[in-house]
């Protein structure tokens, strides 16, 4: 037995019980029909002309129905005689390489074959104008040569700053469509200025580019598509803040406000830009945003395959596992931190050989706690909040929350022979 295993063998993991969390669930039943209805609104349809080459900007987030929404836009463009093609609008993600960004899009089912149109993925940009204070404004070189541009993105709370424009259309323009070079420029002053930087560059791109409109997506707490809205380019600055408020009002969260340990089964770029959304997990890497559950320790057990080795956000965990470490790809991870100037998210937590020792280490390193009644919350990831597990010490608190339902009895977590979680909990 190793010295680490010897220290941890006396640590007891408390029994856990399943808790169902309930949130409002407004949603669109027929997403394709909703997208088509938006595209056929007169103020949108009049912008779509036969024969025009239209760049459709697509990002790097795991958005529900993203493939369907993008394909519906492409098909409608083709129907009216336009010539659509897809450009990657994801800044430095995918290691800021053609191969990496192509791989990310393929992971979401966005390929030339699936979309029925070309994918023009490149790293080059073209300067199209300047901001009001004289800074150069650039966008994807392929998009700059198009007759029109459409961007498609989800509106949601950002993970590192708060403002009228967080994650959404304006950010996709200022940072995503501007590729790594533009993203680097936007991040140069740091997240403390991002609430001003994003709209400054976004407004300039709206002014100088051939942006037609943005297709905004809002999801409910269950990741269902709740709103699709085609926003004319000139209206984005006025409409996006309203959609952001809708998104925040419908966010999923952990209903229990405080615990000793949070266990996150998986993190990944397909889940959040920070791997795990700090608006849920409380793992903020900057002082410019706040919220989420309050804990002493965070344990991360796995990195999703869809992350392709990008472990941004993993550094906000205190402890993790060897299998998560084996997923870590520096070339996929570090470009994000080098671009956004936040190093903490790319650090490596304490690594343990399996899930069991990782969880025990999180418990062991808590200070000034009741070790006989550890307060632990275990979630699948920060997107899926319908069911969570809580330890015995939190069961009564969960029962007191109207939106929570405690299901069954408290039972020990199940581990396989390798010491990894073997039960199906989510």
């Amino acid at each position: 037995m190793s010295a680490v295993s010897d220290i941890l063998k006396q640590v007891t993991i408390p029994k856990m019980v399943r808790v169902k969390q309930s949130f409002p669930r407004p949603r669109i039943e027929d997403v394709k029909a909703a997208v088509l209805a938006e595209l056929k609104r007169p103020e949108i349809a009049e912008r779509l002309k036969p024969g025009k080459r239209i760049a459709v900007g697509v990002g790097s987030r795991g958005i529900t129905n993203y493939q369907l929404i993008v394909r519906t836009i492409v098909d409608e463009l083709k129907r009216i005689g336009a010539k659509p093609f897809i450009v990657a609008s994801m800044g430095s993600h995918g290691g800021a390489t053609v191969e990496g960004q192509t791989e990310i899009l393929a992971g979401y089912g966005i390929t030339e074959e699936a979309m029925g149109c070309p994918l023009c993925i490149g790293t080059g940009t073209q300067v199209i104008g300047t901001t009001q204070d004289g800074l150069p404004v650039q966008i994807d070189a392929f998009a700059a040569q198009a007759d029109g541009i459409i961007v498609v993105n989800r509106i949601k709370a950002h993970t590192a700053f708060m403002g009228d424009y967080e994650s959404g259309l304006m950010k996709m323009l200022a940072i995503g469509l501007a590729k790594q070079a533009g993203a680097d420029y936007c991040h140069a002053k740091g997240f403390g200025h991002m609430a001003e930087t994003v709209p400054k560059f976004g407004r300039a791109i709206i002014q100088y580019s051939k942006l037609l409109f943005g297709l905004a997506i809002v999801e409910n707490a269950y990741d269902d598509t709740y709103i699709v809205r085609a926003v004319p380019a000139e209206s984005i600055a006025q409409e996006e803040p309203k959609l952001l408020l809708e998104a925040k009002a419908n966010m999923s969260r952990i209903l229990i406000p405080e615990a000793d340990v949070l266990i996150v089964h998986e993190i990944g770029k397909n889940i959040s830009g920070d791997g795990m959304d700090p608006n849920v997990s409380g793992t903020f890497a900057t002082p410019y945003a706040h919220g989420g559950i309050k804990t002493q320790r965070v344990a991360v057990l796995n990195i999703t395959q869809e992350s392709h080795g990008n472990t941004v956000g993993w550094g906000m965990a205190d402890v993790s596992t060897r299998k998560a470490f084996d997923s870590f790809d520096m070339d996929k991870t570090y470009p994000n931190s080098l671009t956004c100037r936040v190093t903490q998210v790319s650090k490596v937590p304490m690594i343990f050989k399996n899930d069991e020792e990782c969880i025990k280490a999180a418990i062991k390193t808590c200070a000034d706690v009741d070790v006989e009644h550890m307060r632990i919350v275990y979630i699948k990831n920060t997107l899926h909040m319908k069911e969570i597990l809580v330890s015995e010490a939190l069961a009564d608190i969960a029962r007191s929350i109207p939106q929570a339902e405690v299901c069954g009895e408290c039972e020990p977590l199940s581990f396989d022979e390798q010491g990894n979680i073997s039960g199906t909990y989510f």
Side-chain angles (χ1 to χ4, degrees), residues 8-198:
L8 295 176
K9 68 180 181 181
Q10 300 301 325
V11 176
T12 300
I13 300 174
K15 294 179 180 179
M16 309 287 287
V17 66
R18 188 182 309 277
V19 174
K20 290 184 178 180
Q21 301 193 127
S22 299
F23 305 98
R25 197 167 188 171
R27 57 180 170 175
I28 297 171
E29 295 296 336
D30 189 336
V31 174
K32 181 177 180 179
V35 174
L36 286 173
E38 287 296 301
L39 298 181
K40 291 178 180 179
R41 283 169 39 210
E43 64 269 37
I44 299 299
E46 67 185 9
R47 298 163 190 251
L48 307 177
K49 306 295 185 182
K52 299 297 185 181
R53 296 183 65 253
I54 308 297
V56 181
V58 180
S60 58
R61 295 290 183 261
I63 299 172
T64 302
N65 295 313
Y66 206 26
Q67 182 193 46
L68 172 63
I69 291 168
V70 176
R71 178 62 194 253
T72 300
I73 293 170
V74 168
D75 285 350
E76 179 63 10
L77 290 171
K78 289 165 66 177
R79 187 192 69 79
I80 60 102
K83 300 174 182 177
F85 63 95
I86 289 171
V87 296
S89 302
M90 60 181 78
S92 64
H93 296 176
T97 67
V98 172
E99 296 77 15
Q101 297 194 350
T102 301
E103 185 178 35
I104 286 174
L105 292 179
Y108 299 139
I110 297 174
T111 63
E112 291 192 351
E113 181 179 14
M115 294 294 102
C117 74
L119 266 63
C120 297
I121 314 298
T123 58
T125 60
Q126 180 175 318
V127 175
I128 60 171
T130 60
T131 61
Q132 288 184 337
D133 50 355
L135 297 174
V137 175
Q138 55 197 315
I139 63 171
D140 175 271
F142 291 112
Q145 297 302 314
D147 298 313
I149 303 169
I150 299 166
V151 291
V152 187
N153 202 19
R154 176 178 56 198
I155 310 290
K156 67 185 293 290
H158 198 271
T159 60
F161 74 95
M162 303 176 79
D164 291 334
Y165 311 93
E166 296 181 22
S167 284
L169 300 177
M170 199 71 87
K171 180 172 175 282
M172 177 175 264
L173 294 172
I175 294 176
L177 192 63
K179 313 302 287 185
Q180 194 278 334
D184 187 72
Y185 219 108
C186 283
H187 285 94
K189 293 186 70 173
F191 277 105
H193 296 274
M194 196 64 73
E196 301 103 42
T197 302
V198 164

Side-chain angles (χ1 to χ4, degrees), residues 237-365:
Q238 293 74 41
E239 295 301 315
E240 182 168 338
K242 301 173 188 176
L243 292 170
L244 178 59
L245 292 176
E246 284 279 349
K248 288 185 174 182
N250 285 276
M251 282 178 59
S252 63
R253 64 191 188 278
I254 299 169
L255 295 175
I256 292 171
E258 187 173 346
D260 301 315
V261 173
L262 173 65
I263 305 168
V264 185
H265 190 78
E266 61 181 8
I267 70 168
K269 292 294 285 187
N270 59 311
I271 294 166
S272 169
D274 277 10
M276 49 184 167
D277 188 342
N279 294 288
V280 174
S281 62
T283 52
F284 290 93
T286 76
Y288 309 114
H290 55 82
I293 189 172
K294 181 180 178 182
T295 61
Q296 273 202 48
R297 296 288 179 260
V298 176
V300 167
L301 306 185
N302 301 283
I303 311 297
T304 64
Q305 290 185 348
E306 293 88 346
S307 285
H308 303 288
N310 188 331
T311 61
V312 163
W314 191 38
M316 303 310 298
D318 299 288
V319 295
S320 192
T321 63
R322 167 60 66 174
K323 62 183 187 294
F325 181 81
D326 290 341
S327 300
F328 172 43
D329 185 328
M330 288 187 292
D331 286 335
K332 296 290 179 63
T333 304
Y334 288 173
N336 272 182
S337 281
L338 291 170
T339 300
C340 74
R341 275 85 166 167
V342 179
T343 60
Q344 179 66 35
V345 292
S346 293
K347 292 184 177 181
V348 176
M350 292 180 70
I351 301 298
F352 296 89
K353 68 179 183 181
N354 54 37
D355 293 343
E356 185 174 13
E357 288 201 354
C358 176
I359 295 168
K360 286 184 174 182
I363 294 170
K364 173 69 175 174
T365 54

